[in-house]
Amino acid sequence: GAIAIVTTDILNKSYFPEGISRVRDLARQAAASDFYGDLHELSVGAGGLVAGSALLNKGTDFAKSLLGTRTEIVDREVSRYSGTSISSAAFITGMAAFAALDTCGRHIVNSKVDANGLGVWLKSEGDIVMHTIPMGLQVKPALGIERYPWERPARRRGNTILYVILLLLILAAAAYY
């Protein structure tokens, strides 16, 4: 659930100039923080508490920076959906935020793109991101989103035919009497 919420939040932010600028800045910081190096150190180096603590702290910082005031709400939703404690959900959300931002940062560096280029790339991945959302995960409420910017508003169907038939019936009844 955490990956789906975090990537949806990043995608959502890519539709707004201030949002994509924030993602770009965080992505650069994440890439410079070397998520995969920290993860590697955790698994093969001395590992343990020091490496795990550094990864936890960086992940938490990136999640809070990305999600802002919605961080606790997202953690509770991930906890509810996954059936884990809130502290475990917060750790998972932090790792998802760090990894997603690191991936964006590596794309910025490797492709030499600016915020607009990053936004284009993220929007091109939108279908993939939306398919990662599992049934039952309440992404929109957790992120405080009423409608995704890429969704088209539901078109109101006019009942024109019904009104025409009703009008004809009224005219026919009026003409009859």
Side-chain angles (χ1 to χ4, degrees), residues 28-100:
R28 286 182 175 160
Q29 292 171 24
S33 294
D34 195 23
F35 172 74
Y36 294 104
D38 287 345
L39 200 58
H40 180 71
E41 182 65 30
L42 181 64
S43 64
V44 297
L49 196 54
V50 174
S53 179
L55 202 54
L56 170 65
N57 290 337
K58 287 179 185 179
T60 300
D61 289 345
F62 281 115
K64 286 180 180 177
S65 295
L66 178 67
L67 300 168
T69 59
R70 308 299 299 181
T71 304
E72 289 181 22
I73 298 166
V74 167
D75 291 343
R76 283 196 303 269
E77 176 55 20
V78 171
S79 172
R80 181 203 64 79
Y81 181 78
S82 64
T84 60
S85 67
I86 291 178
S87 60
S88 294
F91 175 76
I92 294 166
T93 302
M95 292 302 95
F98 193 177

Side-chain angles (χ1 to χ4, degrees), residues 94-147:
M95 292 302 95
F98 193 177
L101 289 167
D102 182 75
T103 300
C104 291
R106 289 173 188 269
H107 177 74
I108 290 169
V109 170
N110 294 334
S111 301
K112 296 175 179 51
V113 296
D114 60 3
N116 290 333
L118 178 61
V120 169
W121 177 65
L122 289 169
K123 291 171 191 171
S124 74
E125 302 295 322
D127 286 341
I128 295 168
V129 169
M130 296 315 298
H131 288 353
T132 67
I133 300 174
M135 293 292 281
L137 183 65
Q138 301 297 316
V139 176
K140 285 181 181 177
L143 294 175
I145 299 171
E146 282 188 41
R147 186 179 67 79

